[in-house]
Structures are given as C-alpha cells and as structure tokens.
Coordinates of all heavy atoms in Angstrom, one line a residue:
M236 N 107.8 -57.7 15.6 CA 108.5 -57.8 14.4 C 110.0 -58.1 14.6 O 110.5 -57.6 15.6 CB 108.3 -56.5 13.6 CG 106.9 -56.3 13.1 SD 107.0 -54.8 12.1 CE 105.8 -55.3 10.9
D237 N 110.5 -58.7 13.7 CA 111.9 -59.1 13.8 C 112.8 -58.2 13.0 O 112.9 -58.4 11.8 CB 112.1 -60.5 13.4 CG 113.6 -61.0 13.6 OD1 114.3 -60.5 14.5 OD2 114.0 -61.9 12.9
Y238 N 113.3 -57.1 13.5 CA 114.1 -56.1 12.8 C 115.6 -56.4 13.1 O 115.9 -56.8 14.2 CB 113.8 -54.7 13.2 CG 112.5 -54.2 12.6 CD1 111.3 -54.2 13.4 CD2 112.4 -53.8 11.3 CE1 110.1 -53.8 12.9 CE2 111.2 -53.4 10.8 CZ 110.0 -53.4 11.6 OH 108.8 -53.0 11.1
H239 N 116.4 -56.2 12.1 CA 117.8 -56.5 12.2 C 118.5 -55.1 12.3 O 118.2 -54.2 11.5 CB 118.4 -57.3 11.1 CG 117.7 -58.6 10.9 ND1 118.0 -59.7 11.8 CD2 116.8 -59.1 10.1 CE1 117.2 -60.7 11.4 NE2 116.5 -60.4 10.4
L240 N 119.5 -55.0 13.1 CA 120.3 -53.8 13.2 C 121.6 -54.1 12.5 O 122.3 -55.0 12.8 CB 120.6 -53.5 14.7 CG 121.3 -52.1 14.9 CD1 120.4 -51.0 14.4 CD2 121.5 -52.0 16.4
M241 N 121.8 -53.3 11.4 CA 123.0 -53.5 10.6 C 124.0 -52.5 11.0 O 123.8 -51.3 10.9 CB 122.6 -53.4 9.1 CG 123.4 -54.3 8.2 SD 122.7 -54.3 6.6 CE 122.8 -52.7 6.0
V242 N 125.2 -52.9 11.4 CA 126.2 -52.0 11.9 C 127.5 -52.4 11.1 O 127.9 -53.5 11.0 CB 126.4 -52.1 13.4 CG1 127.5 -51.2 13.8 CG2 125.2 -51.9 14.1
A243 N 128.1 -51.4 10.5 CA 129.4 -51.6 9.8 C 130.5 -51.1 10.7 O 130.6 -50.0 11.0 CB 129.3 -50.9 8.5
F244 N 131.4 -52.0 11.0 CA 132.5 -51.7 11.9 C 133.8 -51.4 11.0 O 133.9 -52.1 10.0 CB 132.8 -52.8 12.9 CG 131.8 -53.0 13.9 CD1 130.8 -53.9 13.8 CD2 131.8 -52.2 15.1 CE1 129.8 -54.0 14.7 CE2 130.9 -52.3 16.0 CZ 129.9 -53.3 15.9
S245 N 134.6 -50.5 11.4 CA 135.8 -50.3 10.7 C 136.9 -50.1 11.8 O 136.6 -50.2 13.0 CB 135.7 -49.1 9.8 OG 135.6 -47.9 10.6
V246 N 138.1 -49.8 11.3 CA 139.2 -49.6 12.3 C 138.9 -48.4 13.1 O 139.2 -48.4 14.3 CB 140.5 -49.5 11.5 CG1 141.7 -49.2 12.4 CG2 140.8 -50.7 10.6
T247 N 138.2 -47.4 12.6 CA 138.0 -46.2 13.3 C 136.7 -46.2 14.2 O 136.5 -45.4 14.9 CB 137.9 -45.0 12.4 OG1 136.8 -45.2 11.5 CG2 139.2 -44.7 11.6
G248 N 136.0 -47.3 14.0 CA 134.8 -47.4 14.9 C 133.5 -47.7 14.0 O 133.6 -48.3 13.0
I249 N 132.4 -47.3 14.5 CA 131.1 -47.6 13.9 C 130.9 -46.6 12.8 O 130.9 -45.4 13.0 CB 130.0 -47.6 14.9 CG1 130.2 -48.6 16.0 CG2 128.6 -47.8 14.2 CD1 129.2 -48.6 17.1
R250 N 130.6 -47.1 11.6 CA 130.3 -46.1 10.5 C 128.8 -45.7 10.5 O 128.5 -44.6 10.2 CB 130.5 -46.8 9.1 CG 132.0 -47.0 8.8 CD 132.1 -47.5 7.4 NE 133.5 -47.8 7.1 CZ 133.9 -48.6 6.1 NH1 133.0 -49.1 5.3 NH2 135.1 -48.8 5.9
G251 N 127.9 -46.6 10.8 CA 126.5 -46.2 10.9 C 125.7 -47.4 11.2 O 126.1 -48.5 11.0
A252 N 124.5 -47.1 11.6 CA 123.5 -48.2 11.9 C 122.2 -47.9 11.1 O 121.8 -46.8 11.0 CB 123.2 -48.2 13.4
V253 N 121.7 -48.9 10.5 CA 120.5 -48.8 9.6 C 119.5 -49.8 10.1 O 119.8 -51.0 10.2 CB 120.9 -49.0 8.2 CG1 119.6 -48.9 7.3 CG2 121.9 -48.0 7.7
M254 N 118.3 -49.3 10.4 CA 117.2 -50.3 10.7 C 116.6 -50.7 9.3 O 116.3 -49.9 8.5 CB 116.1 -49.6 11.5 CG 116.5 -49.2 12.9 SD 116.8 -50.6 13.9 CE 115.1 -51.2 14.2
E255 N 116.4 -52.0 9.2 CA 115.8 -52.5 8.0 C 114.8 -53.5 8.3 O 114.7 -54.1 9.3 CB 116.9 -53.1 7.1 CG 117.6 -54.3 7.7 CD 118.6 -54.9 6.7 OE1 119.2 -54.2 5.9 OE2 118.9 -56.1 6.9
A256 N 113.9 -53.7 7.3 CA 112.8 -54.7 7.4 C 113.4 -56.1 7.4 O 114.5 -56.3 7.0 CB 111.8 -54.5 6.3
P257 N 112.6 -57.1 7.8 CA 113.1 -58.5 7.8 C 113.5 -58.8 6.4 O 112.8 -58.6 5.4 CB 111.9 -59.3 8.2 CG 111.0 -58.3 9.0 CD 111.3 -57.0 8.4
K258 N 114.7 -59.5 6.3 CA 115.2 -59.8 5.0 C 114.3 -60.7 4.2 O 114.2 -60.6 3.0 CB 116.6 -60.4 5.2 CG 117.6 -59.4 5.5 CD 119.0 -59.9 5.3 CE 120.0 -58.8 5.6 NZ 120.4 -58.0 4.5
D259 N 113.7 -61.7 4.8 CA 112.9 -62.6 4.1 C 111.7 -62.0 3.3 O 111.6 -62.2 2.1 CB 112.3 -63.7 5.0 CG 113.5 -64.6 5.6 OD1 114.5 -64.7 4.9 OD2 113.3 -65.1 6.7
S260 N 110.9 -61.2 4.0 CA 109.8 -60.6 3.4 C 110.2 -59.5 2.3 O 109.6 -59.4 1.3 CB 108.8 -60.0 4.4 OG 109.4 -58.9 5.0
L261 N 111.2 -58.8 2.7 CA 111.7 -57.8 1.8 C 112.3 -58.4 0.5 O 112.0 -57.9 -0.6 CB 112.8 -56.9 2.5 CG 113.3 -55.7 1.7 CD1 112.1 -54.7 1.4 CD2 114.4 -55.0 2.5
T262 N 113.0 -59.5 0.7 CA 113.6 -60.2 -0.5 C 112.5 -60.7 -1.4 O 112.6 -60.7 -2.6 CB 114.5 -61.3 0.0 OG1 115.5 -60.7 0.8 CG2 115.2 -62.0 -1.2
V263 N 111.5 -61.3 -0.7 CA 110.4 -61.8 -1.5 C 109.6 -60.8 -2.3 O 109.3 -60.9 -3.5 CB 109.4 -62.6 -0.6 CG1 108.1 -63.0 -1.3 CG2 110.0 -63.9 -0.1
L264 N 109.4 -59.6 -1.6 CA 108.7 -58.5 -2.3 C 109.5 -58.0 -3.5 O 109.0 -57.7 -4.6 CB 108.4 -57.4 -1.3 CG 107.3 -57.7 -0.3 CD1 107.2 -56.6 0.7 CD2 106.0 -58.0 -0.9
I265 N 110.8 -57.8 -3.3 CA 111.7 -57.3 -4.4 C 111.7 -58.3 -5.5 O 111.6 -57.9 -6.7 CB 113.1 -57.0 -3.8 CG1 113.0 -55.8 -2.9 CG2 114.1 -56.8 -5.0 CD1 114.3 -55.6 -2.2
R266 N 111.8 -59.6 -5.2 CA 111.9 -60.6 -6.3 C 110.5 -60.7 -7.0 O 110.5 -60.8 -8.2 CB 112.2 -62.0 -5.6 CG 112.3 -63.1 -6.7 CD 112.7 -64.4 -6.0 NE 112.8 -65.4 -7.0 CZ 111.7 -66.0 -7.6 NH1 110.5 -65.6 -7.4 NH2 111.9 -66.9 -8.5
N267 N 109.4 -60.6 -6.3 CA 108.1 -60.6 -7.0 C 108.0 -59.4 -7.9 O 107.4 -59.5 -9.0 CB 107.0 -60.6 -5.9 CG 106.8 -62.0 -5.3 OD1 107.3 -63.0 -5.8 ND2 106.0 -62.0 -4.2
E268 N 108.4 -58.2 -7.4 CA 108.3 -57.0 -8.3 C 109.1 -57.1 -9.5 O 108.8 -56.8 -10.6 CB 108.6 -55.8 -7.4 CG 108.1 -54.5 -8.0 CD 106.6 -54.5 -8.1 OE1 105.9 -55.0 -7.3 OE2 106.1 -53.9 -9.1
S269 N 110.3 -57.7 -9.3 CA 111.2 -57.9 -10.4 C 110.6 -58.9 -11.4 O 110.7 -58.7 -12.7 CB 112.6 -58.4 -9.9 OG 113.4 -58.7 -11.0
Q270 N 110.0 -60.0 -11.0 CA 109.3 -60.9 -11.8 C 108.2 -60.3 -12.6 O 108.0 -60.5 -13.8 CB 108.8 -62.1 -11.0 CG 109.9 -63.0 -10.5 CD 110.6 -63.8 -11.5 OE1 111.6 -63.4 -12.0 NE2 110.0 -64.9 -11.9
K271 N 107.4 -59.4 -11.9 CA 106.3 -58.8 -12.6 C 106.7 -57.8 -13.7 O 106.1 -57.7 -14.7 CB 105.4 -58.1 -11.6 CG 104.6 -59.0 -10.7 CD 103.6 -58.3 -9.8 CE 104.2 -57.8 -8.6 NZ 103.3 -57.1 -7.7
L272 N 107.8 -57.1 -13.4 CA 108.4 -56.1 -14.4 C 108.9 -56.9 -15.6 O 108.8 -56.4 -16.7 CB 109.4 -55.2 -13.7 CG 108.9 -54.2 -12.7 CD1 110.1 -53.5 -12.0 CD2 108.1 -53.2 -13.5
T273 N 109.6 -58.0 -15.3 CA 110.1 -58.8 -16.4 C 109.0 -59.3 -17.3 O 109.0 -59.3 -18.5 CB 111.0 -59.9 -15.9 OG1 112.0 -59.4 -15.1 CG2 111.6 -60.7 -17.0
A274 N 107.9 -59.8 -16.6 CA 106.8 -60.4 -17.4 C 106.1 -59.3 -18.2 O 105.7 -59.5 -19.3 CB 105.8 -61.0 -16.4
N275 N 106.0 -58.1 -17.6 CA 105.4 -56.9 -18.3 C 106.2 -56.6 -19.6 O 105.7 -56.3 -20.6 CB 105.3 -55.7 -17.4 CG 104.6 -54.6 -18.0 OD1 103.8 -54.8 -18.9 ND2 104.8 -53.4 -17.5
F276 N 107.6 -56.6 -19.4 CA 108.4 -56.3 -20.5 C 108.3 -57.3 -21.7 O 108.2 -56.9 -22.8 CB 109.9 -56.2 -20.1 CG 110.9 -56.0 -21.2 CD1 111.0 -54.8 -21.8 CD2 111.7 -57.1 -21.6 CE1 111.9 -54.7 -22.9 CE2 112.6 -57.0 -22.6 CZ 112.7 -55.7 -23.3
V277 N 108.3 -58.6 -21.3 CA 108.2 -59.6 -22.3 C 106.9 -59.6 -23.0 O 106.7 -59.7 -24.2 CB 108.5 -61.0 -21.7 CG1 108.3 -62.1 -22.7 CG2 110.0 -61.1 -21.2
N278 N 105.8 -59.3 -22.2 CA 104.5 -59.2 -22.8 C 104.4 -58.0 -23.7 O 103.7 -58.1 -24.8 CB 103.4 -59.2 -21.7 CG 102.0 -59.3 -22.2 OD1 101.8 -60.2 -23.1 ND2 101.1 -58.4 -21.8
T279 N 105.0 -56.9 -23.4 CA 105.0 -55.8 -24.2 C 105.7 -56.0 -25.5 O 105.3 -55.6 -26.6 CB 105.6 -54.5 -23.5 OG1 104.8 -54.3 -22.3 CG2 105.5 -53.3 -24.4
C280 N 106.8 -56.8 -25.5 CA 107.5 -57.2 -26.7 C 106.6 -58.0 -27.6 O 106.6 -57.9 -28.8 CB 108.8 -57.9 -26.3 SG 110.1 -56.9 -25.6
G281 N 105.8 -58.9 -27.0 CA 104.9 -59.8 -27.7 C 103.8 -58.9 -28.4 O 103.5 -59.2 -29.6
T282 N 103.3 -58.0 -27.7 CA 102.3 -57.1 -28.2 C 102.9 -56.3 -29.4 O 102.2 -56.0 -30.4 CB 101.7 -56.1 -27.1 OG1 101.2 -56.9 -26.1 CG2 100.6 -55.3 -27.7
T283 N 104.1 -55.8 -29.2 CA 104.8 -55.1 -30.3 C 104.9 -55.9 -31.5 O 104.8 -55.4 -32.7 CB 106.1 -54.5 -29.8 OG1 105.9 -53.8 -28.6 CG2 106.8 -53.7 -30.8
M284 N 105.3 -57.2 -31.4 CA 105.5 -58.1 -32.5 C 104.1 -58.2 -33.3 O 104.1 -58.2 -34.5 CB 105.9 -59.5 -32.1 CG 107.3 -59.6 -31.7 SD 108.4 -59.3 -33.1 CE 109.4 -58.0 -32.5
V285 N 103.0 -58.3 -32.5 CA 101.7 -58.4 -33.2 C 101.4 -57.1 -33.9 O 100.9 -57.2 -35.1 CB 100.6 -58.8 -32.2 CG1 99.3 -58.7 -32.8 CG2 100.9 -60.2 -31.7
A286 N 101.7 -56.0 -33.3 CA 101.4 -54.7 -33.9 C 102.2 -54.5 -35.1 O 101.7 -54.0 -36.2 CB 101.6 -53.6 -32.9
I287 N 103.5 -54.8 -35.1 CA 104.4 -54.6 -36.2 C 104.1 -55.6 -37.3 O 104.0 -55.2 -38.5 CB 105.8 -54.6 -35.8 CG1 106.2 -53.4 -34.9 CG2 106.8 -54.6 -37.0 CD1 107.6 -53.4 -34.3
G288 N 104.0 -56.8 -37.0 CA 103.9 -57.9 -38.0 C 102.6 -58.2 -38.5 O 102.4 -58.8 -39.5
V289 N 101.5 -57.8 -37.8 CA 100.2 -58.2 -38.2 C 99.4 -56.9 -38.6 O 98.9 -56.9 -39.7 CB 99.4 -59.0 -37.1 CG1 98.0 -59.3 -37.5 CG2 100.2 -60.3 -36.8
L290 N 99.3 -56.0 -37.7 CA 98.4 -54.9 -37.9 C 99.0 -53.9 -39.0 O 98.2 -53.5 -39.9 CB 98.2 -54.1 -36.6 CG 97.4 -54.8 -35.5 CD1 97.4 -53.9 -34.3 CD2 96.1 -55.1 -36.0
T291 N 100.2 -53.7 -39.0 CA 100.8 -52.8 -40.0 C 100.7 -53.3 -41.4 O 100.2 -52.6 -42.3 CB 102.3 -52.5 -39.6 OG1 102.3 -52.0 -38.3 CG2 102.9 -51.4 -40.6
P292 N 101.1 -54.5 -41.7 CA 100.9 -55.0 -43.1 C 99.4 -55.1 -43.5 O 99.1 -54.9 -44.6 CB 101.5 -56.4 -43.1 CG 102.4 -56.4 -41.9 CD 101.8 -55.5 -40.9
T293 N 98.6 -55.5 -42.5 CA 97.1 -55.6 -42.9 C 96.5 -54.3 -43.2 O 95.8 -54.1 -44.2 CB 96.4 -56.3 -41.7 OG1 97.0 -57.5 -41.3 CG2 94.9 -56.5 -42.0
I294 N 96.8 -53.3 -42.4 CA 96.3 -51.9 -42.7 C 96.9 -51.4 -44.0 O 96.2 -50.8 -44.9 CB 96.6 -50.9 -41.6 CG1 95.8 -51.3 -40.3 CG2 96.4 -49.5 -42.0 CD1 96.2 -50.6 -39.1
N295 N 98.2 -51.7 -44.3 CA 98.8 -51.3 -45.5 C 98.2 -52.0 -46.7 O 97.9 -51.4 -47.8 CB 100.3 -51.6 -45.5 CG 101.0 -51.1 -46.7 OD1 100.7 -50.1 -47.3 ND2 102.0 -51.9 -47.1
A296 N 97.8 -53.3 -46.6 CA 97.2 -54.0 -47.7 C 95.8 -53.5 -47.9 O 95.3 -53.4 -49.1 CB 97.1 -55.5 -47.3
I297 N 95.1 -53.1 -46.9 CA 93.7 -52.5 -47.0 C 93.8 -51.1 -47.7 O 93.0 -50.9 -48.6 CB 93.0 -52.4 -45.7 CG1 92.7 -53.8 -45.1 CG2 91.7 -51.6 -45.8 CD1 92.2 -53.8 -43.7
V298 N 94.7 -50.3 -47.3 CA 94.8 -49.0 -47.9 C 95.4 -49.0 -49.3 O 94.9 -48.2 -50.2 CB 95.7 -48.1 -46.9 CG1 96.0 -46.7 -47.6 CG2 95.0 -47.9 -45.6
T299 N 96.4 -49.8 -49.6 CA 97.1 -49.7 -50.9 C 96.7 -51.0 -51.7 O 95.6 -51.0 -52.2 CB 98.6 -49.6 -50.7 OG1 99.1 -50.8 -49.9 CG2 99.0 -48.4 -50.0
D300 N 97.6 -51.9 -51.8 CA 97.4 -53.1 -52.6 C 97.3 -54.4 -51.8 O 98.2 -54.7 -51.1 CB 98.6 -53.2 -53.6 CG 98.5 -54.3 -54.6 OD1 97.3 -54.7 -54.8 OD2 99.5 -54.7 -55.2
P301 N 96.2 -55.1 -51.9 CA 96.1 -56.3 -51.1 C 97.1 -57.4 -51.4 O 97.4 -58.3 -50.6 CB 94.7 -56.8 -51.5 CG 94.0 -55.7 -52.0 CD 95.0 -54.8 -52.6
S302 N 97.8 -57.3 -52.5 CA 98.8 -58.4 -52.9 C 100.1 -58.2 -52.1 O 100.9 -59.1 -52.1 CB 99.1 -58.3 -54.4 OG 99.7 -57.1 -54.7
T303 N 100.2 -57.0 -51.4 CA 101.4 -56.8 -50.6 C 101.4 -57.6 -49.2 O 102.4 -57.7 -48.6 CB 101.6 -55.3 -50.3 OG1 100.5 -54.8 -49.5 CG2 101.8 -54.5 -51.6
L304 N 100.2 -58.1 -48.9 CA 100.1 -58.8 -47.6 C 100.7 -60.2 -47.7 O 100.3 -61.0 -48.6 CB 98.6 -58.9 -47.2 CG 98.3 -59.5 -45.9 CD1 98.9 -58.7 -44.7 CD2 96.8 -59.6 -45.6
S305 N 101.6 -60.5 -46.9 CA 102.2 -61.9 -46.9 C 101.7 -62.7 -45.7 O 101.9 -62.4 -44.5 CB 103.7 -61.7 -46.7 OG 104.3 -63.0 -46.5
P306 N 100.8 -63.7 -46.0 CA 100.2 -64.5 -44.9 C 101.3 -65.2 -44.1 O 101.1 -65.3 -42.9 CB 99.4 -65.5 -45.7 CG 99.2 -64.9 -47.0 CD 100.4 -64.1 -47.3
L307 N 102.4 -65.6 -44.7 CA 103.4 -66.3 -43.9 C 104.1 -65.3 -42.9 O 104.3 -65.7 -41.7 CB 104.5 -66.8 -44.9 CG 105.6 -67.7 -44.2 CD1 104.9 -68.9 -43.5 CD2 106.6 -68.2 -45.3
A308 N 104.3 -64.1 -43.3 CA 104.9 -63.1 -42.4 C 103.9 -62.8 -41.2 O 104.3 -62.7 -40.1 CB 105.3 -61.8 -43.1
V309 N 102.6 -62.6 -41.6 CA 101.6 -62.4 -40.6 C 101.5 -63.5 -39.6 O 101.5 -63.3 -38.4 CB 100.3 -62.1 -41.2 CG1 99.2 -62.0 -40.2 CG2 100.3 -60.8 -42.0
L310 N 101.5 -64.7 -40.1 CA 101.5 -65.9 -39.2 C 102.7 -66.0 -38.4 O 102.6 -66.3 -37.2 CB 101.4 -67.2 -40.1 CG 101.3 -68.5 -39.3 CD1 100.0 -68.6 -38.5 CD2 101.4 -69.7 -40.3
G311 N 103.9 -65.7 -38.9 CA 105.1 -65.8 -38.2 C 105.2 -64.8 -37.0 O 105.5 -65.1 -35.9
F312 N 104.8 -63.5 -37.3 CA 104.9 -62.5 -36.3 C 103.8 -62.7 -35.2 O 104.1 -62.5 -34.0 CB 104.7 -61.1 -36.9 CG 105.9 -60.5 -37.4 CD1 106.3 -60.5 -38.8 CD2 106.8 -59.8 -36.5 CE1 107.4 -59.9 -39.2 CE2 107.9 -59.2 -37.0 CZ 108.3 -59.3 -38.3
S313 N 102.6 -63.2 -35.6 CA 101.6 -63.4 -34.6 C 102.0 -64.6 -33.8 O 101.7 -64.6 -32.5 CB 100.2 -63.6 -35.3 OG 100.3 -64.7 -36.1
T314 N 102.5 -65.6 -34.3 CA 103.0 -66.8 -33.5 C 104.1 -66.4 -32.6 O 104.1 -66.8 -31.4 CB 103.5 -67.9 -34.5 OG1 102.4 -68.3 -35.4 CG2 103.9 -69.1 -33.7
F315 N 105.0 -65.6 -33.0 CA 106.1 -65.1 -32.2 C 105.5 -64.3 -31.0 O 106.0 -64.4 -29.9 CB 107.2 -64.4 -33.0 CG 108.4 -64.0 -32.2 CD1 109.1 -65.0 -31.6 CD2 108.8 -62.7 -32.0 CE1 110.3 -64.7 -30.9 CE2 109.9 -62.4 -31.3 CZ 110.7 -63.4 -30.7
G316 N 104.5 -63.4 -31.3 CA 103.9 -62.6 -30.3 C 103.2 -63.5 -29.3 O 103.3 -63.2 -28.1
V317 N 102.5 -64.5 -29.7 CA 101.8 -65.4 -28.7 C 102.8 -66.2 -27.9 O 102.7 -66.3 -26.7 CB 100.9 -66.4 -29.5 CG1 100.4 -67.5 -28.6 CG2 99.7 -65.6 -30.1
I318 N 103.9 -66.6 -28.5 CA 105.0 -67.3 -27.8 C 105.6 -66.4 -26.7 O 105.8 -66.8 -25.5 CB 106.1 -67.8 -28.7 CG1 105.5 -69.0 -29.5 CG2 107.3 -68.2 -27.9 CD1 106.4 -69.4 -30.6
L319 N 105.8 -65.1 -27.0 CA 106.3 -64.2 -26.0 C 105.3 -63.9 -24.9 O 105.7 -63.8 -23.7 CB 106.7 -62.8 -26.7 CG 108.0 -62.8 -27.5 CD1 108.2 -61.5 -28.2 CD2 109.2 -63.1 -26.7
H320 N 104.1 -63.9 -25.2 CA 103.0 -63.7 -24.2 C 103.0 -64.9 -23.3 O 102.9 -64.7 -22.1 CB 101.7 -63.5 -24.9 CG 100.5 -63.5 -23.9 ND1 100.3 -62.5 -23.0 CD2 99.6 -64.5 -23.6 CE1 99.3 -62.8 -22.3 NE2 98.8 -64.0 -22.6
L321 N 103.0 -66.1 -23.8 CA 103.0 -67.3 -23.0 C 104.3 -67.4 -22.1 O 104.2 -67.8 -21.0 CB 102.9 -68.5 -23.8 CG 101.5 -68.6 -24.6 CD1 101.5 -69.9 -25.5 CD2 100.4 -68.7 -23.6
W322 N 105.4 -66.9 -22.7 CA 106.7 -66.9 -21.9 C 106.5 -65.9 -20.8 O 107.0 -66.2 -19.6 CB 107.8 -66.6 -22.8 CG 109.2 -66.6 -22.2 CD1 109.6 -67.5 -21.2 CD2 110.3 -65.8 -22.4 NE1 110.9 -67.2 -20.9 CE2 111.3 -66.2 -21.6 CE3 110.5 -64.7 -23.3 CZ2 112.6 -65.6 -21.6 CZ3 111.7 -64.1 -23.3 CH2 112.7 -64.5 -22.4
A323 N 105.9 -64.8 -21.0 CA 105.7 -63.8 -19.9 C 104.9 -64.4 -18.8 O 105.1 -64.1 -17.6 CB 105.1 -62.5 -20.5
R324 N 103.9 -65.2 -19.1 CA 103.0 -65.8 -18.1 C 103.8 -66.7 -17.2 O 103.5 -66.9 -16.1 CB 101.8 -66.5 -18.8 CG 100.8 -65.5 -19.4 CD 99.7 -66.2 -20.0 NE 99.0 -67.0 -19.0 CZ 97.7 -67.0 -18.8 NH1 97.0 -66.1 -19.4 NH2 97.2 -67.8 -17.9
T325 N 104.8 -67.3 -17.7 CA 105.6 -68.3 -16.9 C 106.4 -67.5 -15.8 O 106.6 -68.1 -14.8 CB 106.6 -69.1 -17.7 OG1 107.6 -68.2 -18.4 CG2 105.9 -69.9 -18.8
F326 N 106.7 -66.2 -16.1 CA 107.4 -65.4 -15.0 C 106.4 -65.2 -13.8 O 106.9 -65.2 -12.7 CB 107.8 -64.1 -15.6 CG 109.0 -64.2 -16.4 CD1 108.9 -64.1 -17.8 CD2 110.3 -64.3 -15.9 CE1 110.0 -64.2 -18.6 CE2 111.4 -64.4 -16.7 CZ 111.3 -64.3 -18.1
L327 N 105.1 -65.1 -14.1 CA 104.2 -64.9 -13.1 C 103.9 -66.1 -12.3 O 103.4 -66.0 -11.1 CB 102.9 -64.3 -13.6 CG 103.0 -63.0 -14.3 CD1 101.7 -62.5 -14.9 CD2 103.5 -61.9 -13.4
L328 N 104.2 -67.3 -12.8 CA 104.0 -68.5 -12.1 C 105.0 -68.7 -10.9 O 104.8 -69.4 -10.0 CB 104.1 -69.7 -13.0 CG 103.1 -69.9 -14.1 CD1 103.4 -71.0 -15.0 CD2 101.7 -70.0 -13.5
D329 N 106.1 -67.9 -11.0 CA 107.2 -68.0 -10.0 C 107.0 -67.1 -8.8 O 107.8 -67.0 -7.9 CB 108.5 -67.8 -10.6 CG 108.9 -68.9 -11.5 OD1 108.4 -70.0 -11.4 OD2 109.8 -68.7 -12.4
L330 N 105.9 -66.3 -8.8 CA 105.6 -65.4 -7.7 C 105.5 -66.1 -6.4 O 104.8 -67.2 -6.3 CB 104.4 -64.5 -8.0 CG 104.5 -63.5 -9.1 CD1 103.2 -62.8 -9.3 CD2 105.7 -62.6 -9.0
E331 N 106.0 -65.6 -5.3 CA 105.9 -66.2 -4.0 C 105.0 -65.4 -3.1 O 104.8 -64.2 -3.3 CB 107.3 -66.2 -3.3 CG 108.3 -67.0 -4.1 CD 109.7 -66.9 -3.5 OE1 109.8 -66.7 -2.2 OE2 110.7 -67.0 -4.2
K332 N 104.4 -66.0 -2.2 CA 103.5 -65.3 -1.2 C 104.4 -64.7 -0.2 O 105.3 -65.3 0.4 CB 102.6 -66.3 -0.5 CG 101.6 -65.7 0.3 CD 100.6 -66.7 0.9 CE 99.6 -65.9 1.7 NZ 98.6 -66.8 2.3
A333 N 104.2 -63.4 0.1 CA 105.0 -62.7 1.0 C 104.6 -63.1 2.4 O 103.4 -63.2 2.7 CB 104.8 -61.2 0.8
P334 N 105.6 -63.3 3.3 CA 105.3 -63.7 4.7 C 104.7 -62.6 5.5 O 104.7 -61.5 5.2 CB 106.7 -64.1 5.2 CG 107.7 -63.5 4.3 CD 107.0 -63.2 3.0

C-alpha cells in the first residue's frame, strides 16, 4: 500500500506526523459519500413535496369537502416532486469506482 507520511514543519521543529490512507481512494470515497447524501436530501425534498402537495389535500378533500381539492395544485406539487427525484438520481450518476 502506498501510505503518505504527512509532517508539518515549523520554525521550532516537527509539529507532528500523521499516517493517512492514499489520497486518491480516500478522496473518491468521501466524494461518493457526499454525492449519496446530497441525492438522499434532494430525494427526501421531492417526497416531502408529494406528501404536502398531494396527500394532504387529497385526504382533506375526502374527510371534509371534495370541492377543496385543487387539481392544478396537486399536479404542480407532484410534478415538482418527480423533478426533484429525477434530479437526485443525476447525483448518483457521478459516483466513481473506488480504486
């Protein structure tokens, strides 16, 4: 394995030495995890849009008055939720194979 020894020099001498994993694989793993967390966040926002904009008004219309349901609002929120989901999937396309 190719480990790098990181040493910080100062006027007074050596501050410390730290053994670290190879920068390439570590960087790839950190970037991949960041991409997955971002995709998860955006997908959760899309799911929330569907829950708020579609399920809540539909349940309210069933329980109370059906005339309160706005099809345009339901269509808008569901479309926005699907767009957020598809956008989240694009983050997963950028994942790299770890060396």
